Amino acid sequence: MPSAAHTHAGGIHPLCYGHYTEMRPHEAAGRLVYSCKERDCPVQYTRPEGYFLDVQNRPLKHLPIPPHQYCPNDRFPMYLLEVNRKQHFRLWRCPKCSVIQVDGS
């Protein structure tokens, strides 16, 4: 079954690229950061930076290097919107212009 993120009231809800679960938004250092809900997962996402690992005070698990998918229109960091592991594809969306891009994994 595919995993999918949802968009609510103009906001985004990216998926963790390690667990394929919806990330939760919170404020950190005056900016909106999305973090994986899974315990001890260091995956985070921000609109201007894209995906990154927050390893401060967390054990680093064996996760792939954060993906860096950029919008073909404005080069803004895209977020993982949907994953279908059976069909081996990932759907990405730009948080700035909403363009969608598909890649095989």
Side-chain angles (χ1 to χ4, degrees), residues 10-99:
I12 63 169
H13 292 268
L15 297 179
C16 171
Y17 68 87
H19 295 103
Y20 305 125
T21 56
E22 190 173 314
M23 300 174 81
R24 72 172 162 255
H26 60 92
E27 287 286 325
R31 63 184 181 155
L32 185 60
V33 177
Y34 296 86
S35 300
C36 181
K37 295 176 184 178
E38 299 294 322
R39 183 179 172 164
D40 295 327
C41 181
V43 174
Q44 297 200 0
Y45 176 87
T46 64
R47 287 178 185 224
E49 297 171 54
Y51 285 98
F52 63 95
L53 298 177
D54 177 16
V55 294
Q56 185 177 16
N57 300 321
R58 294 181 188 200
L60 184 58
K61 301 235 178 186
H62 298 288
L63 287 173
I65 296 171
H68 297 287
Q69 191 79 16
Y70 296 98
C71 178
N73 292 342
D74 54 30
R75 304 298 301 154
F76 216 72
M78 299 178 90
Y79 65 93
L80 193 55
L81 179 68
E82 183 176 335
V83 174
N84 188 317
R85 291 191 267 182
K86 288 184 181 180
Q87 295 180 354
H88 304 288
F89 82 87
R90 294 183 288 184
L91 184 67
W92 300 86
R93 175 175 276 163
C94 176
K96 188 173 182 182
C97 72
S98 296
V99 75

